[in-house]
Amino acid sequence: MIFVMSRFFNSNWGPSLFTIFVFASISPLCIAQQKGINYDEAKVPDYTLPRLFTKLDGEKVSEKWQWNRDRRTEILRLFEEHMYGRHPAKPERVEYFIHSLDENALAGEAVRKEVIIRLGEVGPRFDLHVLLYLPAGVNEKVPVFMGYNFGGNHTIHADPAIRLSQAWMRRGNDEAHINHRATEAARGLASSRWPVQTILDRGYGLVTLYYGDVEPDRADGWKDGIRAHLKKDRSGDRLEPEDWGAIAAWAWGLSRVMDYLETDGAVRADRVAVMGHSRLGKTSLWAGASDRRFAIVISNNSGCGGAALSRRAFGETIQRINTHFPHWFCRNFKNYDSNESELPIDQHMLIALMAPRPVYVASASEDLWADPMGEFLSAMHADPVYELFNKTGLGVEDQPGLNHPVGDFIGYHLRSGKHDVTDYDWEQYLNFADRHFNRI
Ligand code: GCU
């Protein structure tokens, strides 16, 4: 058994204690309002992580082939059964349309392409609208970063030629939305999270789409989303305990974009780094675990249900996430509300499912809700699987100080600041991709 509490006493507590202090002094009300939420390391329960190399039947795994053939498959199934739910295969009929193409976009710096992925069986209602920016004047296929955006493609850049999404948005009525639909005022609203020019300058393309194209992010959203339409028994208006949750549906959507990228002559489909923030970071991790075509997997502040260990119950807990976002995971996951120790998996195993591919976990110091220490520990406890593949994963045992990236095949940093995606985060992802795609 891996008894984890002991390692805390060797840990670098500096940044965590500091940030707990800062957070507490900035927003005591916020903490007071979150009843039952723990932000105190001393109150993290003792816990034992499920073993990576012991199969359910007790057999020990010590060879790569045993990991790949048996244990990895078993762990993947456990995540499906207890957490994210089972997803269907690729639809038989899929069509791709070019919605727009400008080889002289962004003042000649980029090729901008908008592609529609039409999932044949369900028709235009579930069209995925994919936006690609590729570096201009490059005659070879380029590696790309790919990820969902929260508010529609038109939010990632002020470029007026980007199609304005018609889809349902979580934001109801504000300066950029009317009745949950985006208006022109939403253009470029999320551009600080998408440094398009920097990505292009570094020789990468960017591929993005709105996660709500797959399914609206609300409790009953599945009825208007891909899950209802691919449901075998369409008569039932209830999902089964192991049916996929919204995160699995969004992850499945990323795989459909990957299917498209494999057909796009301008993109190196073997060099796709899938990146996501927060709930979309949980999504990119599950996409990377369930689809090995993603060459690099990046989780930005994904927290509970993403990179953070569930058993620590620090910040957001399973019970809290299942209450506020009952649609994200499969129904079985509710069995673990305030019952983390019974889970047959924990999130270090999710990170380990990427092995030997490179994976990056990023935390932010003021984002205690996402449990930065729990995110670090997941990355650290996945190391033995990388060792099995003769690779160094994280390679350190103490959470690094602020803004100090560490790791080899598992990257990690604790950025100073809030729950967000910043230029600093992107800089690390670009460096990580350069290193692993052998570009330097
Ligand atoms: C909420 C939720 C988190 C999630 C985040 C986000 O805070 O509790 O689990 O990661 O939203 O997606 O921004």
Side-chain angles (χ1 to χ4, degrees), residues 91-363:
E92 273 168 27
R93 238 169 8 102
V94 180
E95 294 167 285
Y96 306 125
F97 304 101
I98 303 293
H99 174 76
S100 75
L101 175 64
D102 182 353
E103 297 191 337
N104 208 13
L106 305 184
E109 297 281 333
V111 174
R112 185 192 55 247
K113 186 149 69 170
E114 293 177 299
V115 175
I116 296 174
I117 301 180
R118 180 156 301 159
L119 303 167
E121 288 89 342
V122 290
R125 191 161 160 212
F126 298 100
D127 280 354
L128 308 182
H129 294 269
V130 185
L131 168 67
L132 292 91
Y133 277 119
L134 303 171
V138 177
N139 292 323
E140 53 184 26
K141 294 183 174 204
V142 292
V144 296
F145 284 87
M146 159 175 164
Y148 278 123
N149 56 68
F150 275 87
N153 297 342
H154 57 271
T155 61
I156 75 130
H157 197 286
D159 183 348
I162 300 174
R163 173 185 175 275
L164 187 76
S165 175
Q166 310 293 309
W168 183 90
M169 302 280 156
R170 267 179 83 84
R171 290 165 72 168
N173 288 300
D174 58 21
E175 73 290 354
H177 298 86
I178 298 174
N179 290 334
H180 295 280
R181 305 285 156 178
T183 68
E184 287 289 327
R187 291 194 178 279
L189 274 187
S191 56
S192 70
R193 289 184 172 177
W194 300 94
V196 175
Q197 193 60 50
T198 309
I199 294 169
L200 295 171
D201 288 346
R202 297 277 296 254
Y204 293 87
L206 175 65
V207 180
T208 185
L209 73 161
Y210 173 51
Y211 75 134
D213 280 0
V214 177
E215 174 168 319
D217 185 5
R218 51 172 204 260
D220 63 352
W222 71 276
K223 294 182 179 168
D224 293 330
I226 199 72
R227 282 190 289 159
H229 285 269
L230 293 183
K231 198 169 179 312
K232 285 211 184 77
D233 169 18
R234 297 229 178 130
S235 59
D237 77 339
R238 187 173 148 85
L239 292 159
E240 299 306 316
E242 287 179 27
D243 279 348
W244 48 339
I247 287 174
W250 297 322
W252 181 90
L254 290 174
S255 290
R256 304 295 67 84
V257 181
M258 181 54 124
D259 299 339
Y260 164 72
L261 293 180
E262 288 183 327
T263 71
D264 188 315
V267 170
R268 279 205 62 163
D270 60 339
R271 289 191 175 178
V272 176
V274 63
M275 179 276 189
H277 170 60
S278 208
R279 68 198 68 184
L280 300 178
K282 309 180 209 298
T283 302
S284 62
L285 285 173
W286 183 235
S290 49
D291 186 341
R292 284 196 261 195
R293 291 175 298 173
F294 294 109
I296 291 181
V297 182
I298 302 168
S299 147
N300 192 86
N301 308 176
S302 63
C304 179
L309 290 177
S310 300
R311 279 170 173 74
R312 280 171 47 85
F314 184 106
E316 188 173 27
T317 60
I318 294 181
Q319 188 193 12
R320 162 73 203 218
I321 206 166
N322 278 334
T323 309
H324 284 252
F325 304 100
H327 54 300
W328 283 1
F329 301 92
C330 73
R331 274 176 47 206
N332 272 345
F333 196 44
K334 297 185 177 42
N335 297 335
Y336 304 98
D337 288 359
S338 305
N339 187 28
E340 289 82 0
S341 61
E342 290 303 309
L343 259 176
I345 38 164
D346 211 320
Q347 301 309 96
H348 64 308
M349 296 164 113
L350 182 64
I351 306 295
L353 288 178
M354 314 306 167
R357 291 168 296 153
V359 54
Y360 201 107
V361 175
S363 306

